[in-house]
Amino acid sequence: MSHAGPQTVVPFEHPGEGKRRAKSTPKGRQIDPKASQEVEFLLEGKSRRRDMLIEHLHLIQDRYHQISAAHLAALADEMKLAFSEVFEVATFYAHFDVVKEGAPDIAPLTIRVCDSLTCAMLGAETLLKELQNKAGPGVRVVRAPCVGRCDTAPAAEVGHNFIDHATVESVLAATKEDDTHVHMPDYVGYESYVQQGGYALLNSLRSGKTSKEDILKSLDDASLRGLGGAGFPTGRKWRAVLGEPGPRLMAINGDEGEPGTFKDRYYLETDPHRFIEGMLIGAHVVDAAEVYIYLRDEYPACREILAREIAMLPPGGPTLHLRRGAGAYICGEESALLESIEGKRGLPRHKPPYPFQVGLFGLPTLINNIETLWWIRDIVENGAAWWSIQGRNERHGLRSYSVSGRVKNPGVKLAPAGVTIKELIEEFCGGMADGHKFHAYLPGGASGGILPASMNDIPLDFGTLEKYGCFIGSAAVIVLSDKDEVKDAALNLMKFFEDESCGQCTPCRVGTQKAAKLMETRNWNRDLLDELSQTMRDASICGLGQAASNPLTSVIKYFPEEFAPQEAAE
């Protein structure tokens, strides 16, 4: 596509004016010809649709390791968008390194050191400081929020590759390698999956042998709930979308950003087609002609796997779009995810209307988490009764617990829903790590609250933790020992929420910031923190602000001995 340069401005002359006026200067930001050619080259053969903005920003970031003001202006011109619109999107996401005019270029190689809770417990702060001192020229070392590798903490990212159990030596060695080549895990590919009976259910559904109602009844009878954290009944959600007039769309929430959670990554890196088949079954049931798979940017191997394996699928079925996040935890919220897919800032929408009514591009949209869809085939083929009998402690089904922290064998633990933390540690994790005594645990990731070791007999499932001020969420379990300060853990989580707040609403934007400052003091002002927490719960737009204070209130309620009480006024 050819590019037209800046339009020439013709000086206006009044009739009869004999003296020629000086040529006027074009108003607005001028397009740099070199940047324009570079952007045009990157976008060759690609759509200029508005919703492709984030994808195109990734092209620039990947090629130049930064995004200059000149490239932003050229991209805005190429996509017929206002510069301010492109700028606000680029600066919203943490993985776009926007360089202002006149500012020095960013180092060509970036090392990101995860500083979220599990990595912090296992030495991330020391690792970060040592790398900043030893990395040398041409390398930038920065903090990063949870990268979804809590089971191999501390974790660091060099370019597009991750270093598990990172040390200064292993990270610096990785800087000498090709940072653009993604290390790929072993997984079940298309042919192997088909040989194991894969896609038989999908083909049966498409042929009419299995009806949509058969699928929906299986989900209803099994009481499968959304496993991304909200826990909404899956069958009911599918029926709600199907009840809306078409056309309909489907969106996949693969933005697994909750600190402590890594189950979706595990399933995509081991058996991706089980998810893909579940996704295609869902799309067929609700008659979605297009499916948008939104995957967090911290999962480059998963993105490569999906791109390869989707290309292996036979013709037919919905059009599949693979979309790449850009480092924003808020996009795990379903409406913020939709905004991001549309190429905008990930700002949560006000509800109602709900996404099943007015979703992606204004159409009724089915939104499901990766693990939820991963279980569809097993539940339908094995029967709802098989799923229901898997539970423990009067609960039903299986759960994928992402376990990290002070246990001997962290990782994704497939266990009966309703297992207690005591059972999870002893039966599935090999006990506590050597030299550590169980002290506390997070049952549901950063926002799920913190409980003491004495409360070790609560079934870990939906509906069992709420009366204690906690919830299971995505089943991200972080175990703390007697060598960890619960107060420090709560502060780490609050700083995470402060950094990840989208800033749209004041209770969350200001509340997380004020809470973090108050929590940094030796003597917590309990009355002020309680009031602040209540305001955030009551008035925040989305779940981030509403749940951000859960760890804080847990410390006050269950660990009073670990923070100095408010000093009496003199």
Short mmCIF file of all heavy atoms in Angstrom, two decimals, residues 254-312:
data_model
loop_
_atom_site.label_atom_id
_atom_site.label_comp_id
_atom_site.label_asym_id
_atom_site.label_seq_id
_atom_site.Cartn_x
_atom_site.Cartn_y
_atom_site.Cartn_z
N GLY A 254 -7.24 -15.89 28.18
CA GLY A 254 -5.98 -16.52 28.49
C GLY A 254 -5.02 -15.54 29.14
O GLY A 254 -3.80 -15.73 29.09
N ASP A 255 -5.57 -14.52 29.78
CA ASP A 255 -4.74 -13.51 30.44
C ASP A 255 -4.56 -13.89 31.91
O ASP A 255 -5.11 -13.26 32.81
CB ASP A 255 -5.38 -12.13 30.31
CG ASP A 255 -4.39 -11.02 30.62
OD1 ASP A 255 -3.41 -10.90 29.89
OD2 ASP A 255 -4.61 -10.28 31.60
N GLU A 256 -3.80 -14.95 32.11
CA GLU A 256 -3.62 -15.54 33.44
C GLU A 256 -2.60 -14.72 34.23
O GLU A 256 -1.44 -15.09 34.34
CB GLU A 256 -3.16 -16.99 33.27
CG GLU A 256 -3.04 -17.78 34.54
CD GLU A 256 -2.59 -19.20 34.26
OE1 GLU A 256 -1.60 -19.40 33.53
OE2 GLU A 256 -3.24 -20.13 34.76
N GLY A 257 -3.04 -13.62 34.83
CA GLY A 257 -2.10 -12.72 35.48
C GLY A 257 -2.14 -12.71 36.99
O GLY A 257 -1.36 -11.99 37.63
N GLU A 258 -3.04 -13.47 37.60
CA GLU A 258 -3.14 -13.48 39.06
C GLU A 258 -1.87 -14.07 39.67
O GLU A 258 -1.49 -15.20 39.36
CB GLU A 258 -4.34 -14.33 39.48
CG GLU A 258 -4.57 -14.41 40.98
CD GLU A 258 -5.27 -13.18 41.53
OE1 GLU A 258 -5.67 -12.32 40.73
OE2 GLU A 258 -5.43 -13.09 42.76
N PRO A 259 -1.16 -13.33 40.53
CA PRO A 259 0.04 -13.88 41.14
C PRO A 259 -0.23 -15.22 41.81
O PRO A 259 -1.15 -15.38 42.59
CB PRO A 259 0.41 -12.80 42.17
CG PRO A 259 -0.07 -11.53 41.56
CD PRO A 259 -1.37 -11.92 40.90
N GLY A 260 0.59 -16.20 41.46
CA GLY A 260 0.41 -17.55 41.98
C GLY A 260 -0.26 -18.49 41.01
O GLY A 260 -0.29 -19.71 41.25
N THR A 261 -0.77 -18.00 39.88
CA THR A 261 -1.53 -18.83 38.94
C THR A 261 -0.70 -19.18 37.72
O THR A 261 -0.10 -18.30 37.10
CB THR A 261 -2.81 -18.12 38.49
OG1 THR A 261 -3.50 -17.62 39.62
CG2 THR A 261 -3.71 -19.06 37.72
N PHE A 262 -0.67 -20.45 37.35
CA PHE A 262 0.06 -20.86 36.15
C PHE A 262 -0.53 -22.12 35.51
O PHE A 262 0.08 -22.75 34.66
CB PHE A 262 1.55 -21.09 36.48
CG PHE A 262 1.79 -21.87 37.75
CD1 PHE A 262 1.89 -23.25 37.74
CD2 PHE A 262 1.92 -21.22 38.96
CE1 PHE A 262 2.12 -23.97 38.90
CE2 PHE A 262 2.16 -21.92 40.14
CZ PHE A 262 2.27 -23.31 40.12
N LYS A 263 -1.75 -22.48 35.89
CA LYS A 263 -2.37 -23.71 35.39
C LYS A 263 -2.67 -23.65 33.90
O LYS A 263 -2.49 -24.66 33.19
CB LYS A 263 -3.65 -24.00 36.17
CG LYS A 263 -4.70 -22.91 36.09
CD LYS A 263 -5.91 -23.19 36.96
CE LYS A 263 -6.92 -22.06 36.89
NZ LYS A 263 -7.42 -21.81 35.53
N ASP A 264 -3.13 -22.50 33.41
CA ASP A 264 -3.44 -22.40 31.98
C ASP A 264 -2.19 -22.60 31.14
O ASP A 264 -2.22 -23.24 30.09
CB ASP A 264 -4.07 -21.04 31.66
CG ASP A 264 -5.47 -20.91 32.23
OD1 ASP A 264 -6.04 -21.92 32.69
OD2 ASP A 264 -6.02 -19.78 32.22
N ARG A 265 -1.08 -21.99 31.59
CA ARG A 265 0.19 -22.20 30.88
C ARG A 265 0.55 -23.68 30.84
O ARG A 265 0.96 -24.21 29.80
CB ARG A 265 1.30 -21.40 31.55
CG ARG A 265 2.69 -21.67 30.97
CD ARG A 265 3.78 -20.86 31.65
NE ARG A 265 3.94 -21.20 33.06
CZ ARG A 265 4.65 -22.23 33.50
NH1 ARG A 265 5.23 -23.07 32.64
NH2 ARG A 265 4.77 -22.47 34.80
N TYR A 266 0.37 -24.35 31.97
CA TYR A 266 0.70 -25.78 32.05
C TYR A 266 -0.11 -26.59 31.03
O TYR A 266 0.45 -27.43 30.31
CB TYR A 266 0.42 -26.29 33.46
CG TYR A 266 0.52 -27.79 33.60
CD1 TYR A 266 1.77 -28.42 33.71
CD2 TYR A 266 -0.62 -28.58 33.61
CE1 TYR A 266 1.86 -29.80 33.83
CE2 TYR A 266 -0.53 -29.96 33.74
CZ TYR A 266 0.71 -30.56 33.84
OH TYR A 266 0.80 -31.93 33.96
N TYR A 267 -1.40 -26.32 30.93
CA TYR A 267 -2.24 -27.10 30.01
C TYR A 267 -1.93 -26.78 28.55
O TYR A 267 -1.95 -27.67 27.69
CB TYR A 267 -3.71 -26.87 30.33
CG TYR A 267 -4.15 -27.60 31.58
CD1 TYR A 267 -4.74 -26.93 32.65
CD2 TYR A 267 -3.94 -28.97 31.71
CE1 TYR A 267 -5.12 -27.61 33.80
CE2 TYR A 267 -4.32 -29.66 32.85
CZ TYR A 267 -4.91 -28.97 33.90
OH TYR A 267 -5.27 -29.65 35.03
N LEU A 268 -1.65 -25.52 28.25
CA LEU A 268 -1.32 -25.17 26.87
C LEU A 268 0.04 -25.73 26.47
O LEU A 268 0.25 -26.06 25.29
CB LEU A 268 -1.31 -23.64 26.70
CG LEU A 268 -2.66 -22.95 26.75
CD1 LEU A 268 -2.48 -21.45 26.58
CD2 LEU A 268 -3.61 -23.49 25.67
N GLU A 269 0.95 -25.85 27.42
CA GLU A 269 2.29 -26.35 27.10
C GLU A 269 2.38 -27.87 27.12
O GLU A 269 3.43 -28.43 26.81
CB GLU A 269 3.32 -25.76 28.07
CG GLU A 269 3.56 -24.27 27.86
CD GLU A 269 4.62 -23.70 28.77
OE1 GLU A 269 5.05 -24.41 29.72
OE2 GLU A 269 5.03 -22.55 28.54
N THR A 270 1.30 -28.55 27.48
CA THR A 270 1.33 -30.01 27.52
C THR A 270 0.30 -30.65 26.59
O THR A 270 0.62 -31.58 25.86
CB THR A 270 1.09 -30.52 28.96
OG1 THR A 270 -0.13 -29.97 29.47
CG2 THR A 270 2.25 -30.12 29.87
N ASP A 271 -0.93 -30.17 26.60
CA ASP A 271 -2.01 -30.80 25.83
C ASP A 271 -2.93 -29.73 25.25
O ASP A 271 -4.10 -29.62 25.62
CB ASP A 271 -2.78 -31.75 26.75
CG ASP A 271 -3.65 -32.75 25.98
OD1 ASP A 271 -3.64 -32.71 24.73
OD2 ASP A 271 -4.33 -33.56 26.63
N PRO A 272 -2.44 -28.91 24.32
CA PRO A 272 -3.20 -27.75 23.85
C PRO A 272 -4.48 -28.09 23.10
O PRO A 272 -5.45 -27.32 23.14
CB PRO A 272 -2.22 -27.01 22.94
CG PRO A 272 -1.28 -28.09 22.46
CD PRO A 272 -1.13 -29.01 23.63
N HIS A 273 -4.52 -29.23 22.41
CA HIS A 273 -5.70 -29.53 21.59
C HIS A 273 -6.92 -29.87 22.44
O HIS A 273 -8.05 -29.74 21.95
CB HIS A 273 -5.39 -30.67 20.62
CG HIS A 273 -4.61 -30.21 19.43
ND1 HIS A 273 -5.19 -29.55 18.36
CD2 HIS A 273 -3.28 -30.27 19.17
CE1 HIS A 273 -4.26 -29.26 17.47
NE2 HIS A 273 -3.09 -29.68 17.93
N ARG A 274 -6.71 -30.29 23.66
CA ARG A 274 -7.87 -30.54 24.52
C ARG A 274 -8.60 -29.22 24.78
O ARG A 274 -9.83 -29.17 24.82
CB ARG A 274 -7.43 -31.18 25.83
CG ARG A 274 -8.53 -31.90 26.59
CD ARG A 274 -7.95 -32.72 27.72
NE ARG A 274 -7.13 -33.81 27.23
CZ ARG A 274 -7.59 -35.05 27.01
NH1 ARG A 274 -8.85 -35.33 27.25
NH2 ARG A 274 -6.80 -35.99 26.55
N PHE A 275 -7.84 -28.14 24.94
CA PHE A 275 -8.44 -26.81 25.04
C PHE A 275 -9.05 -26.38 23.71
O PHE A 275 -10.18 -25.88 23.67
CB PHE A 275 -7.39 -25.78 25.48
CG PHE A 275 -7.64 -24.40 24.96
CD1 PHE A 275 -8.72 -23.64 25.43
CD2 PHE A 275 -6.84 -23.85 23.97
CE1 PHE A 275 -8.97 -22.37 24.93
CE2 PHE A 275 -7.09 -22.57 23.48
CZ PHE A 275 -8.16 -21.83 23.95
N ILE A 276 -8.32 -26.59 22.62
CA ILE A 276 -8.82 -26.15 21.31
C ILE A 276 -10.13 -26.85 20.98
O ILE A 276 -11.08 -26.22 20.47
CB ILE A 276 -7.76 -26.40 20.22
CG1 ILE A 276 -6.51 -25.53 20.46
CG2 ILE A 276 -8.33 -26.10 18.83
CD1 ILE A 276 -5.35 -25.84 19.53
N GLU A 277 -10.21 -28.14 21.25
CA GLU A 277 -11.46 -28.86 20.97
C GLU A 277 -12.60 -28.32 21.82
O GLU A 277 -13.71 -28.11 21.33
CB GLU A 277 -11.30 -30.36 21.20
CG GLU A 277 -12.57 -31.14 20.87
CD GLU A 277 -12.40 -32.64 20.88
OE1 GLU A 277 -11.35 -33.15 21.34
OE2 GLU A 277 -13.34 -33.34 20.41
N GLY A 278 -12.35 -28.08 23.10
CA GLY A 278 -13.39 -27.51 23.94
C GLY A 278 -13.84 -26.15 23.45
O GLY A 278 -15.04 -25.82 23.48
N MET A 279 -12.90 -25.36 22.98
CA MET A 279 -13.22 -24.04 22.43
C MET A 279 -14.10 -24.17 21.18
O MET A 279 -15.10 -23.45 21.04
CB MET A 279 -11.92 -23.32 22.07
CG MET A 279 -12.11 -22.01 21.31
SD MET A 279 -10.50 -21.29 20.83
CE MET A 279 -9.92 -22.51 19.62
N LEU A 280 -13.75 -25.07 20.29
CA LEU A 280 -14.52 -25.24 19.06
C LEU A 280 -15.91 -25.81 19.35
O LEU A 280 -16.88 -25.49 18.66
CB LEU A 280 -13.76 -26.15 18.09
CG LEU A 280 -12.43 -25.57 17.55
CD1 LEU A 280 -11.71 -26.60 16.70
CD2 LEU A 280 -12.69 -24.30 16.76
N ILE A 281 -16.02 -26.65 20.38
CA ILE A 281 -17.33 -27.15 20.79
C ILE A 281 -18.19 -25.99 21.30
O ILE A 281 -19.36 -25.86 20.93
CB ILE A 281 -17.18 -28.23 21.88
CG1 ILE A 281 -16.61 -29.52 21.27
CG2 ILE A 281 -18.52 -28.52 22.56
CD1 ILE A 281 -16.21 -30.57 22.29
N GLY A 282 -17.60 -25.13 22.14
CA GLY A 282 -18.34 -23.98 22.64
C GLY A 282 -18.79 -23.06 21.53
O GLY A 282 -19.93 -22.56 21.52
N ALA A 283 -17.90 -22.81 20.56
CA ALA A 283 -18.24 -21.94 19.43
C ALA A 283 -19.39 -22.52 18.61
O ALA A 283 -20.28 -21.79 18.15
CB ALA A 283 -17.02 -21.72 18.55
N HIS A 284 -19.38 -23.85 18.44
CA HIS A 284 -20.45 -24.49 17.67
C HIS A 284 -21.79 -24.40 18.42
O HIS A 284 -22.83 -24.12 17.80
CB HIS A 284 -20.10 -25.95 17.41
CG HIS A 284 -21.08 -26.66 16.53
ND1 HIS A 284 -20.96 -26.71 15.16
CD2 HIS A 284 -22.23 -27.35 16.84
CE1 HIS A 284 -21.99 -27.39 14.65
NE2 HIS A 284 -22.76 -27.79 15.65
N VAL A 285 -21.74 -24.61 19.72
CA VAL A 285 -22.98 -24.60 20.50
C VAL A 285 -23.66 -23.23 20.44
O VAL A 285 -24.88 -23.14 20.32
CB VAL A 285 -22.70 -25.02 21.96
CG1 VAL A 285 -23.92 -24.74 22.84
CG2 VAL A 285 -22.34 -26.50 22.03
N VAL A 286 -22.89 -22.16 20.53
CA VAL A 286 -23.49 -20.81 20.54
C VAL A 286 -23.50 -20.17 19.17
O VAL A 286 -23.85 -18.99 19.02
CB VAL A 286 -22.78 -19.89 21.55
CG1 VAL A 286 -22.83 -20.47 22.94
CG2 VAL A 286 -21.34 -19.58 21.12
N ASP A 287 -23.10 -20.92 18.13
CA ASP A 287 -23.08 -20.41 16.75
C ASP A 287 -22.19 -19.18 16.62
O ASP A 287 -22.58 -18.16 16.00
CB ASP A 287 -24.50 -20.06 16.29
CG ASP A 287 -25.39 -21.28 16.18
OD1 ASP A 287 -24.88 -22.34 15.74
OD2 ASP A 287 -26.57 -21.20 16.55
N ALA A 288 -20.99 -19.23 17.18
CA ALA A 288 -20.03 -18.14 17.05
C ALA A 288 -19.19 -18.36 15.80
O ALA A 288 -18.46 -19.35 15.71
CB ALA A 288 -19.15 -18.06 18.28
N ALA A 289 -19.29 -17.46 14.86
CA ALA A 289 -18.56 -17.61 13.60
C ALA A 289 -17.10 -17.20 13.74
O ALA A 289 -16.26 -17.57 12.89
CB ALA A 289 -19.22 -16.78 12.50
N GLU A 290 -16.78 -16.44 14.77
CA GLU A 290 -15.41 -16.00 14.99
C GLU A 290 -15.05 -16.15 16.47
O GLU A 290 -15.88 -15.89 17.34
CB GLU A 290 -15.21 -14.54 14.57
CG GLU A 290 -15.41 -14.30 13.09
CD GLU A 290 -15.08 -12.86 12.70
OE1 GLU A 290 -13.90 -12.49 12.73
OE2 GLU A 290 -16.02 -12.11 12.39
N VAL A 291 -13.80 -16.56 16.72
CA VAL A 291 -13.32 -16.74 18.09
C VAL A 291 -12.01 -15.96 18.24
O VAL A 291 -11.11 -16.07 17.40
CB VAL A 291 -13.06 -18.22 18.40
CG1 VAL A 291 -12.56 -18.37 19.83
CG2 VAL A 291 -14.31 -19.05 18.17
N TYR A 292 -11.93 -15.16 19.30
CA TYR A 292 -10.73 -14.38 19.59
C TYR A 292 -10.05 -14.96 20.83
O TYR A 292 -10.63 -14.98 21.91
CB TYR A 292 -11.09 -12.92 19.82
CG TYR A 292 -11.51 -12.20 18.56
CD1 TYR A 292 -12.79 -12.38 18.02
CD2 TYR A 292 -10.63 -11.37 17.88
CE1 TYR A 292 -13.18 -11.75 16.85
CE2 TYR A 292 -11.01 -10.73 16.71
CZ TYR A 292 -12.27 -10.92 16.20
OH TYR A 292 -12.64 -10.28 15.04
N ILE A 293 -8.84 -15.46 20.64
CA ILE A 293 -8.07 -16.06 21.74
C ILE A 293 -7.10 -15.00 22.27
O ILE A 293 -6.13 -14.64 21.59
CB ILE A 293 -7.30 -17.30 21.26
CG1 ILE A 293 -8.24 -18.28 20.57
CG2 ILE A 293 -6.59 -17.97 22.44
CD1 ILE A 293 -7.52 -19.39 19.83
N TYR A 294 -7.34 -14.52 23.47
CA TYR A 294 -6.51 -13.48 24.06
C TYR A 294 -5.56 -14.14 25.05
O TYR A 294 -5.97 -14.68 26.07
CB TYR A 294 -7.39 -12.44 24.77
CG TYR A 294 -6.65 -11.22 25.26
CD1 TYR A 294 -6.56 -10.08 24.46
CD2 TYR A 294 -6.06 -11.20 26.52
CE1 TYR A 294 -5.90 -8.95 24.91
CE2 TYR A 294 -5.40 -10.07 26.98
CZ TYR A 294 -5.32 -8.94 26.17
OH TYR A 294 -4.66 -7.81 26.63
N LEU A 295 -4.27 -14.09 24.74
CA LEU A 295 -3.25 -14.77 25.54
C LEU A 295 -2.26 -13.76 26.08
O LEU A 295 -1.78 -12.88 25.34
CB LEU A 295 -2.53 -15.81 24.68
CG LEU A 295 -1.59 -16.77 25.39
CD1 LEU A 295 -2.38 -17.69 26.33
CD2 LEU A 295 -0.82 -17.61 24.36
N ARG A 296 -1.92 -13.88 27.36
CA ARG A 296 -1.00 -12.92 27.95
C ARG A 296 0.35 -12.96 27.27
O ARG A 296 0.82 -14.01 26.83
CB ARG A 296 -0.88 -13.14 29.46
CG ARG A 296 -0.17 -14.39 29.89
CD ARG A 296 -0.14 -14.55 31.40
NE ARG A 296 0.31 -13.35 32.09
CZ ARG A 296 0.99 -13.35 33.22
NH1 ARG A 296 1.28 -14.50 33.82
NH2 ARG A 296 1.36 -12.23 33.79
N ASP A 297 1.00 -11.80 27.22
CA ASP A 297 2.26 -11.66 26.50
C ASP A 297 3.39 -12.44 27.16
O ASP A 297 4.40 -12.74 26.52
CB ASP A 297 2.63 -10.17 26.41
CG ASP A 297 3.68 -9.89 25.35
OD1 ASP A 297 3.73 -10.63 24.34
OD2 ASP A 297 4.46 -8.93 25.51
N GLU A 298 3.24 -12.75 28.45
CA GLU A 298 4.27 -13.49 29.17
C GLU A 298 4.32 -14.97 28.79
O GLU A 298 5.17 -15.70 29.32
CB GLU A 298 4.05 -13.37 30.68
CG GLU A 298 4.29 -11.98 31.24
CD GLU A 298 3.08 -11.06 31.13
OE1 GLU A 298 2.10 -11.43 30.43
OE2 GLU A 298 3.09 -9.98 31.73
N TYR A 299 3.46 -15.41 27.88
CA TYR A 299 3.43 -16.82 27.47
C TYR A 299 3.80 -16.97 25.99
O TYR A 299 2.99 -17.44 25.17
CB TYR A 299 2.04 -17.40 27.71
CG TYR A 299 1.66 -17.60 29.17
CD1 TYR A 299 0.38 -18.01 29.52
CD2 TYR A 299 2.58 -17.39 30.20
CE1 TYR A 299 0.02 -18.20 30.85
CE2 TYR A 299 2.23 -17.57 31.53
CZ TYR A 299 0.96 -17.99 31.85
OH TYR A 299 0.60 -18.18 33.17
N PRO A 300 5.02 -16.60 25.59
CA PRO A 300 5.38 -16.70 24.17
C PRO A 300 5.39 -18.12 23.64
O PRO A 300 5.05 -18.35 22.48
CB PRO A 300 6.79 -16.06 24.12
CG PRO A 300 7.33 -16.20 25.51
CD PRO A 300 6.14 -16.06 26.40
N ALA A 301 5.78 -19.09 24.49
CA ALA A 301 5.78 -20.48 24.02
C ALA A 301 4.36 -20.95 23.75
O ALA A 301 4.09 -21.64 22.76
CB ALA A 301 6.47 -21.37 25.05
N CYS A 302 3.43 -20.59 24.63
CA CYS A 302 2.02 -20.96 24.41
C CYS A 302 1.49 -20.34 23.13
O CYS A 302 0.73 -20.97 22.39
CB CYS A 302 1.17 -20.49 25.59
SG CYS A 302 1.57 -21.28 27.16
N ARG A 303 1.88 -19.10 22.88
CA ARG A 303 1.42 -18.43 21.66
C ARG A 303 1.95 -19.14 20.42
O ARG A 303 1.23 -19.35 19.44
CB ARG A 303 1.87 -16.96 21.69
CG ARG A 303 1.32 -16.13 20.53
CD ARG A 303 1.58 -14.65 20.74
NE ARG A 303 3.00 -14.33 20.81
CZ ARG A 303 3.64 -13.95 21.91
NH1 ARG A 303 2.99 -13.88 23.05
NH2 ARG A 303 4.93 -13.66 21.89
N GLU A 304 3.21 -19.55 20.46
CA GLU A 304 3.80 -20.26 19.33
C GLU A 304 3.13 -21.62 19.15
O GLU A 304 2.86 -22.05 18.01
CB GLU A 304 5.30 -20.44 19.56
CG GLU A 304 6.02 -21.21 18.47
CD GLU A 304 6.02 -20.50 17.13
OE1 GLU A 304 5.89 -19.25 17.09
OE2 GLU A 304 6.11 -21.19 16.09
N ILE A 305 2.86 -22.31 20.25
CA ILE A 305 2.19 -23.61 20.17
C ILE A 305 0.80 -23.46 19.53
O ILE A 305 0.43 -24.23 18.63
CB ILE A 305 2.07 -24.23 21.57
CG1 ILE A 305 3.44 -24.71 22.05
CG2 ILE A 305 1.08 -25.40 21.57
CD1 ILE A 305 3.47 -25.13 23.51
N LEU A 306 0.03 -22.49 20.00
CA LEU A 306 -1.31 -22.31 19.46
C LEU A 306 -1.26 -21.94 17.97
O LEU A 306 -2.07 -22.44 17.17
CB LEU A 306 -2.05 -21.23 20.24
CG LEU A 306 -2.53 -21.63 21.64
CD1 LEU A 306 -3.15 -20.44 22.36
CD2 LEU A 306 -3.52 -22.77 21.57
N ALA A 307 -0.33 -21.09 17.60
CA ALA A 307 -0.22 -20.70 16.19
C ALA A 307 0.09 -21.92 15.32
O ALA A 307 -0.50 -22.11 14.25
CB ALA A 307 0.86 -19.63 16.02
N ARG A 308 1.00 -22.76 15.78
CA ARG A 308 1.37 -23.96 15.02
C ARG A 308 0.20 -24.94 14.93
O ARG A 308 -0.12 -25.46 13.85
CB ARG A 308 2.54 -24.68 15.70
CG ARG A 308 3.88 -23.97 15.63
CD ARG A 308 4.94 -24.84 16.31
NE ARG A 308 6.23 -24.18 16.37
CZ ARG A 308 7.33 -24.74 16.89
NH1 ARG A 308 7.26 -25.97 17.38
NH2 ARG A 308 8.48 -24.10 16.92
N GLU A 309 -0.42 -25.22 16.07
CA GLU A 309 -1.42 -26.27 16.12
C GLU A 309 -2.75 -25.85 15.49
O GLU A 309 -3.44 -26.68 14.90
CB GLU A 309 -1.63 -26.74 17.55
CG GLU A 309 -0.37 -27.33 18.19
CD GLU A 309 0.23 -28.45 17.34
OE1 GLU A 309 -0.52 -29.36 16.93
OE2 GLU A 309 1.45 -28.40 17.08
N ILE A 310 -3.11 -24.59 15.59
CA ILE A 310 -4.31 -24.12 14.91
C ILE A 310 -4.15 -24.25 13.40
O ILE A 310 -5.11 -24.58 12.68
CB ILE A 310 -4.62 -22.66 15.32
CG1 ILE A 310 -5.16 -22.63 16.76
CG2 ILE A 310 -5.61 -22.01 14.37
CD1 ILE A 310 -5.34 -21.24 17.33
N ALA A 311 -2.93 -24.03 12.92
CA ALA A 311 -2.67 -24.17 11.49
C ALA A 311 -2.82 -25.62 11.03
O ALA A 311 -3.00 -25.87 9.83
CB ALA A 311 -1.27 -23.67 11.17
N MET A 312 -2.78 -26.57 11.95
CA MET A 312 -2.92 -27.99 11.61
C MET A 312 -4.38 -28.42 11.48
O MET A 312 -4.66 -29.50 10.96
CB MET A 312 -2.24 -28.84 12.68
CG MET A 312 -0.75 -28.60 12.84
SD MET A 312 0.22 -29.30 11.50
CE MET A 312 -0.01 -31.05 11.80
#
